[in-house]
Amino acid sequence: MISNRPRRNRVSAGVRGLVRETSLAASHLVLPLFVHEGPGAHPIASMPGHARLDVELLVQKSREAFELGVPAVALFPAIADGLKNPRGTESLNASGLLQRAVRALKSALPELVVITDVALDPYSSDGHDGVLVDDRIDNDETVPLLAKMAVAQALAGADVVAPSDMMDGRVGAIRRALDEAGKPDVLICSYSVKYASAFYGPFRDALDSAPRAGDKKTYQMDPANVRECLREVRLDEQEGADWLMVKPGLPYADVVRAVSEISELPVAVYHVSGEYAMLKAAAQNGWMDFDKCLIESLLCLRRAGADIIFTYGAIEAARLLKKA
Ligand code: PBG
């Protein structure tokens, strides 16, 4: 006779609901969006359902997400080639594309949490997150530029600035610059543990921001490492980060778990462009069910320990969760 029957806890939807350990809600999600000068929308071939949007369409799309319960968007600008240079100075332009987009969003949707990306790559003629000096990315030349960029974004109205560049010491420099600019309430979401990953491919298509030469392995982490993330996390905590980010998502669930166990700070995870593209491509071939795979992926990231999930599927997920 079998006396121990774990299946009893799965016997009905009601029982399964009572014993469910992890929750997933629209309130956990952040929708990344691409903005361009426009006019209109420019589709991104490798990211079905996403396009570079002009500021007006960006506001529309953000409203759609917000009304479905998604509290936040993360913005990435596609900058015209003519405005790119080695130091990415267009990022500081108070009336540049990104700053205009932030102002438009905050005036149309004041309660939407607007997150901006701090890194040179969309603005850099070299396609790198930092300044290239003699063929290497110069950390200390880059950090003051990042601090100025974060201030420009905060002055435009960004609620959260998210340095994704992986330079050493940038969180502390950004915190000091924000405080000196009279922006002590602007949060820093640090991409603390960002790997040199091939899963960013579709994102780089979207922004036309792939490195012109070389790769990002001297600043982004080696996918082989996990203990190294503890050091990144400790430094970001000391420097004043408000949230910690792990990126990419599913292949790095063990890293999300590790970070959530060592820090009291909220942990965000980025379900990146390549992860979204894989699900879309398989679904378009009739090989997998996009909706189910998306919800399962996001639930697994929550189970791994993520509080906040950046996902290109935020609108789809919010709709599905409403129906469920
Ligand atoms: C660059 C940045 C990247 C992503 C977010 N910020 C790409 C990179 O590091 O090359 C990737 C996001 C995605 O793939 O969805 N600062």
Side-chain angles (χ1 to χ4, degrees):
M1 230 350 237
I2 301 171
S3 55
N4 242 324
R5 293 184 184 273
R7 286 186 54 190
R8 272 196 296 270
N9 276 335
R10 302 169 207 145
V11 73
S12 66
V15 168
R16 289 194 296 274
L18 287 166
V19 303
R20 188 160 294 132
E21 298 172 38
T22 306
S23 66
L24 173 67
S27 62
H28 302 131
L29 304 179
V30 176
L31 175 66
L33 290 171
F34 301 105
V35 60
H36 71 162
E37 209 52 75
H42 175 93
I44 302 159
S46 50
M47 299 186 71
H50 276 267
R52 301 176 186 175
L53 305 173
D54 68 15
V55 172
E56 195 183 324
L57 292 172
L58 176 81
V59 172
Q60 258 178 42
K61 184 57 92 184
S62 303
R63 175 172 289 118
E64 184 184 349
F66 189 69
E67 285 173 355
L68 283 163
V70 175
V73 295
L75 304 184
F76 297 95
I79 301 297
D81 275 343
L83 294 175
K84 297 185 183 181
N85 63 33
R87 299 176 70 81
T89 48
E90 173 63 13
S91 63
L92 310 179
N93 181 354
S95 46
L97 172 64
L98 179 86
Q99 273 72 254
R100 272 183 280 125
V102 172
R103 273 190 231 106
L105 279 174
K106 290 306 292 185
S107 92
L109 300 163
E111 280 162 47
L112 177 74
V113 177
V114 174
I115 304 175
T116 51
D117 191 67
V118 183
L120 291 193
D121 54 326
Y123 300 96
S124 154
S125 43
D126 297 308
H128 275 288
D129 294 20
V131 182
L132 209 60
V133 178
D134 299 333
D135 284 344
R136 55 186 286 281
I137 304 302
D138 193 306
N139 194 91
D140 301 9
E141 275 292 310
T142 303
V143 167
L145 294 174
L146 297 171
K148 283 193 194 134
M149 184 188 304
V151 168
Q153 295 170 348
L155 292 175
D159 299 289
V160 181
V161 295
S164 68
D165 54 283
M166 291 298 278
M167 298 301 122
D168 294 330
R170 91 283 208 212
V171 170
I174 290 171
R175 186 68 272 158
R176 279 189 297 281
L178 290 172
D179 292 350
E180 278 163 21
K183 291 287 171 189
D185 293 335
V186 169
L187 288 79
I188 299 177
C189 167
S190 174
Y191 287 65
S192 307
V193 192
K194 177 172 175 180
Y195 287 90
S197 171
F199 286 95
Y200 308 150
F203 174 97
R204 294 180 190 170
D205 292 344
L207 294 189
D208 192 19
S209 65
R212 300 295 180 258
D215 53 41
K216 299 193 176 184
K217 290 181 185 168
T218 67
Y219 47 106
Q220 299 179 345
M221 268 179 57
D222 182 340
N225 293 357
V226 65
R227 279 189 300 144
E228 188 182 352
C229 80
L230 308 186
R231 191 169 176 210
E232 290 285 0
V233 163
R234 236 180 285 124
L235 288 169
D236 281 354
E237 287 179 335
Q238 286 163 10
E239 292 177 34
D242 298 284
W243 303 346
L244 305 170
M245 165 96 89
V246 174
K247 176 180 180 190
L250 277 188
Y252 297 82
D254 60 319
V255 182
V256 175
R257 164 65 40 215
V259 171
S260 70
E261 280 173 0
I262 58 155
S263 182
E264 305 86 60
L265 290 179
V267 178
V269 66
Y270 204 135
H271 180 243
V272 299
S273 57
E275 298 178 76
Y276 175 84
M278 287 195 298
L279 295 185
K280 282 285 177 188
Q284 281 179 351
N285 276 299
W287 294 341
M288 295 204 307
D289 180 320
F290 176 83
D291 292 354
K292 289 188 175 137
C293 290
L294 174 69
I295 293 294
E296 183 177 331
S297 301
L298 302 180
L299 184 68
C300 291
L301 290 170
R302 291 271 303 152
R303 191 198 63 226
D307 300 293
I308 301 162
I309 307 174
F310 288 52
T311 176
Y312 297 94
I315 287 184
E316 284 131 318
R319 276 221 179 84
L320 293 164
L321 292 167
K322 203 157 239 167
K323 266 195 259 157

